[in-house]
Structures are given as C-alpha cells and as structure tokens.
Amino acid sequence: MKSILVMNGPNLNMLGQREPALYGHSTLADVEQLCRDTGDKHGIAVECFQSNHEGELIDALHRAGRAVKEGKMIGVVFNAGAYTHTSIAIYDAIKAAEVPVIEVHISNVHARESFRHHSYLSPVAEGIIVGFGVEGYALAIDGLVAKLGSQ
Ligand code: DQA
C-alpha cells in the first residue's frame, strides 16, 4: 500500500483554538483523522507530521522524496503555514527532493493581507487548494491520488 504524507507547519498545532473565525473549530487531531479516513477511501496509508521548525519540515521533505523514489509514497499534502510566504529553503527542498507537493491553505490567503498573497511553494507545487477550510486537506488527497496515484 502506497502512502501520502500530510504535513503541517508552524502554528497549525493550534488549530481549533487559533483564530476560529478564519481557521474553524477542528483541531489538528480532527484534521489528521479526516486525512486518514480520506486515505482509507483510496486504499492509501496517510502519515501525519506537524512541526513549528523549518529544518524539521525540510528533513521530512527530503525523507518523503526518498520514499517517492523507492515507490513507497505518492507525495505530500503540505500546509506550510507562514513559511509559505517566507521560505526559500522550503522551495529549494521541494525541488531538491523532487517530491510532489500539493500546497494547502485552510483560509483564502488571497482575500487576506497582501503579505499572504505570495507563495514560495506554488511554483514548485503539483497543485494548490486554497480557502476550502479543513476540507481542503481531503480535496488535496483526492487530487494527489487522481493526478499521481497510478504511477
Ligand atoms: C495558512 C495561511 C497562512 O498565511 C498562515 O500563516 C497560516 C495558515 C492557512 O492554512 O490558511 O499559518 O496556511
């Protein structure tokens, strides 16, 4: 059974308590369960990882790239939080690891502050899901499986 890594970056461990008007009331544990359930629907194992630290996210992307090359993993569903808008290092890691990434944002970043309008990840993403609330993670898994699941 192939896998998908669902990865969440900084402050997403605070889901449920953090600005619920923007991000909703689901916790990270709820989101991870939604992702595992969505994986089950496709016969895909879903691994989950959250970190507030850029280097740990980069290490996980490198590991995921190796797993993809070994035929064990399809790719990564990744909400990089604010690193989306700042991290050339994460952009470089996605390219270096040659790992397929679906970029996810719970909120519609384009309807928010202008500093959220630019993403370093979008140019190296296989696809982007923005503004569907936490349901976006399930859409991203569906999309990743539809696009790359048969490879
Ligand atoms: C976010 C949007 C980012 O701008 C923000 O820094 C986050 C969450 C989202 O899911 O909507 O931490 O990625």
Side-chain angles (χ1 to χ4, degrees):
M1 185 192 279
K2 283 206 183 191
S3 67
I4 286 175
L5 174 64
V6 174
M7 194 152 76
N8 280 288
N11 300 308
L12 291 159
N13 56 313
M14 303 288 286
L15 279 179
Q17 313 165 38
R18 175 191 183 197
E19 300 181 84
L22 272 173
Y23 299 117
H25 293 278
S26 300
T27 63
L28 182 60
D30 296 333
V31 169
E32 291 179 346
Q33 191 55 52
L34 168 70
C35 291
R36 281 190 286 267
D37 291 345
T38 307
D40 285 348
K41 217 176 61 186
H42 295 289
I44 297 285
V46 170
E47 300 166 25
C48 299
F49 178 68
Q50 188 276 330
S51 177
N52 294 318
H53 304 278
E54 192 173 20
E56 289 186 358
L57 297 167
I58 290 169
D59 288 343
L61 287 166
H62 293 173
R63 282 195 297 275
R66 287 195 293 274
V68 169
K69 289 201 171 87
E70 289 163 6
K72 296 176 183 160
M73 188 176 279
I74 300 171
V76 179
V77 167
F78 189 16
N79 184 347
Y83 285 143
T84 305
H85 318 298
T86 64
S87 181
I88 297 169
I90 291 178
Y91 162 90
D92 281 347
I94 294 169
K95 284 188 86 171
E98 297 178 312
V99 57
V101 167
I102 307 293
E103 176 183 351
V104 172
H105 300 288
I106 297 167
S107 63
N108 178 358
V109 284
H110 299 289
R112 299 180 61 193
E113 303 96 320
S114 58
F115 61 80
R116 295 184 205 276
H117 297 177
H118 177 261
S119 165
Y120 280 102
L121 277 53
S122 296
V124 287
E126 285 287 334
I128 306 162
I129 306 273
V130 171
F132 287 92
V134 298
E135 190 56 35
Y137 290 87
L139 297 173
I141 291 170
D142 289 344
L144 187 55
V145 172
K147 193 167 179 187
L148 299 175
S150 58
Q151 288 183 2

